[in-house]
Amino acid sequence: QWVSKAARDMPNAYCEGLIQYLRTVFSQLGPMDEGSRYGLHFSCCGHVAERIVKLLTDPVNADHHSASHHHGDEGIPPIHRIDAFGLKNLALDVQEFERFADATGVPQLSECFNELKSLTTAMLDRELPRLLMRENAQLRRKRYPFLSIEKVGNILEKYVGMGLGDKLMGTNQKRTEILMMEKKEVQALLRLVRSQEH
């Protein structure tokens, strides 16, 4: 589902399921002071956002299972492959999470999803190749203050670039409004990113 070759118009089923679960949890909290109630909301939404960031950006390697077990994670392996439309679909899910968070009435709750939103938005930004150049680091930080260049590199490792078949299919509006990279462009961008990591 992460290499989808097409953009969705609706949130993914996993996204809707998670939101329904959170809605049920929050509705059954019972009498609780505001501070505790807000804290629980932030804890739950923060955990969801963090898990999705990890699924998207964690490196894929054989040690993941043992590492996950060691850290007490659920053991869900990171995404192995994703394309531009998979990222576009994930960005749609992020918007849905933000809408849900805003609808709870808990101030700033949607900010839990800032890093995830920053990653998906940046990866779809047609200006990304220019923003990732060393001399544009300040501009990149201004536009995407939550963006980790190392995590961008990890996503590029999994990014499935367009092949000849994709190019022969031509372009439509949905294709031209987001960043679509060929395999060689992905590799060049990955080298650029890795050269800037400390």
Side-chain angles (χ1 to χ4, degrees):
Q1 71 187 30
W2 300 110
V3 181
S4 54
K5 304 291 183 188
R8 283 187 280 106
D9 294 320
M10 299 285 289
N12 198 318
Y14 87 89
C15 169
E16 294 182 322
L18 265 173
I19 286 174
Q20 188 53 48
Y21 173 74
L22 289 171
R23 188 176 283 124
T24 303
V25 169
F26 295 160
S27 70
Q28 295 176 348
L29 290 179
M32 190 179 283
D33 67 89
E34 189 178 82
S36 300
R37 189 168 67 84
Y38 283 12
L40 193 59
H41 278 69
F42 275 96
S43 178
C44 290
C45 287
H47 179 71
V48 167
E50 183 186 359
R51 288 300 305 158
I52 299 174
V53 167
K54 284 174 71 65
L55 289 175
L56 179 63
T57 65
D58 270 9
V60 178
N61 56 52
D63 296 331
H64 176 78
H65 183 75
S66 58
S68 294
H69 182 74
H70 176 71
H71 293 302
D73 289 341
E74 288 83 347
I76 303 170
I79 294 166
H80 279 63
R81 300 165 76 239
I82 192 164
D83 66 357
F85 289 119
L87 285 160
K88 174 78 170 169
N89 294 338
L90 182 55
L92 184 69
D93 297 340
V94 176
Q95 288 176 4
E96 195 66 18
F97 281 123
E98 287 182 315
R99 269 195 291 272
F100 164 72
D102 287 336
T104 63
V106 176
Q108 284 92 46
L109 185 61
S110 61
E111 292 180 11
C112 288
F113 300 97
N114 277 350
E115 183 184 17
L116 185 56
K117 181 179 183 176
S118 189
L119 284 164
T120 54
T121 306
M123 292 300 301
L124 295 169
D125 188 345
R126 296 182 68 190
E127 290 283 296
L128 183 67
R130 186 175 70 87
L131 290 171
L132 288 176
M133 296 172 77
R134 193 182 299 273
E135 59 267 29
N136 293 327
Q138 193 172 348
L139 179 61
R140 181 180 69 244
R141 281 192 288 268
K142 185 177 177 183
R143 189 180 295 188
Y144 298 110
F146 299 99
L147 192 66
S148 155
I149 197 163
E150 182 183 353
K151 288 179 180 177
V152 168
N154 290 348
I155 296 172
L156 287 170
E157 295 270 11
K158 310 172 186 195
Y159 191 99
V160 178
M162 290 190 302
L164 182 61
D166 298 304
K167 292 185 76 174
L168 291 175
M169 285 171 66
T171 59
N172 58 31
Q173 185 58 37
K174 278 228 168 84
R175 284 176 178 270
T176 54
E177 69 189 16
I178 61 174
L179 177 65
M180 304 278 295
M181 294 185 284
E182 294 180 40
K183 292 167 187 174
K184 61 184 180 184
E185 292 172 315
V186 176
Q187 289 306 310
L189 211 53
L190 181 58
R191 285 194 296 273
L192 176 65
V193 166
R194 294 303 189 213
S195 72
Q196 296 178 61
E197 290 176 9
H198 302 296

